[in-house]
Amino acid sequence: MSTITVKDGTTIFYKDWGSGPVVTFSHGWPLCSDAWDSQMLFLAQNGFRVVAHDRRGHGRSSQAWSGNDMNGYADDLAALIEALDLTDVTMVGHSTGGRRSCTLHRTAQYKAGCRSRSDRRCTAGHGEVSR
């Protein structure tokens, strides 16, 4: 089982398949990374490296007393991107997973060369988040 431990001690489970351009997948509540298996398998078989994680408190990640907000979730995604040394990342998210990707995209943590659908704004299920 592949995991990282983030700064507050929470263990985050992740899947890392394939090789090539990187696509991360972030699930919504109450799902886990397994929700993306079909999309990940297709992309991994067609020349992409795909990474999905279980949000803290979901799936195979550990329960956490704190950090259960968009900034905490974005911190976890940033820690995973850094731990796996991912660059030129395309982020895909559903529901709160989309918001998590957008939160990471518009913060100072945006160091890994990530990109969303547009350079100026990120479209999430709940509206747009401007940088």
Side-chain angles (χ1 to χ4, degrees):
M1 192 162 91
S2 299
T3 62
I4 62 165
T5 302
V6 297
K7 63 184 175 186
D8 70 354
T10 303
T11 301
I12 302 297
F13 168 84
Y14 68 92
K15 300 175 181 185
D16 185 357
W17 301 345
S19 61
V22 180
V23 180
T24 64
F25 291 88
S26 297
H27 66 83
W29 180 89
L31 305 172
C32 68
S33 60
D34 295 344
W36 295 109
D37 281 357
S38 295
Q39 293 84 358
M40 291 177 63
L41 182 60
F42 176 82
L43 289 173
Q45 290 175 336
N46 287 280
F48 289 86
R49 180 178 180 186
V50 293
V51 177
H53 67 289
D54 288 350
R55 186 169 90 185
R56 57 177 54 222
H58 293 72
R60 289 148 289 206
S61 291
S62 63
Q63 300 287 326
W65 187 255
S66 61
N68 295 299
D69 56 32
M70 285 306 141
N71 290 330
Y73 303 148
D75 288 346
D76 294 342
L77 179 55
L80 180 62
I81 289 170
E82 185 176 321
L84 298 179
D85 195 29
L86 304 178
T87 58
D88 296 323
V89 176
T90 298
M91 297 181 284
V92 175
H94 171 259
S95 189
T96 55
R99 179 66 70 184
R100 175 168 56 247
S101 297
C102 290
T103 300
L104 173 61
H105 184 273
R106 69 184 170 94
T107 64
Q109 300 165 6
Y110 181 60
K111 299 174 184 173
C114 300
R115 64 177 165 258
S116 66
R117 292 182 56 197
S118 121
D119 189 49
R120 303 217 38 105
R121 69 184 113 178
C122 183
T123 304
H126 300 291
E128 293 181 346
V129 178
S130 296
R131 285 202 313 168

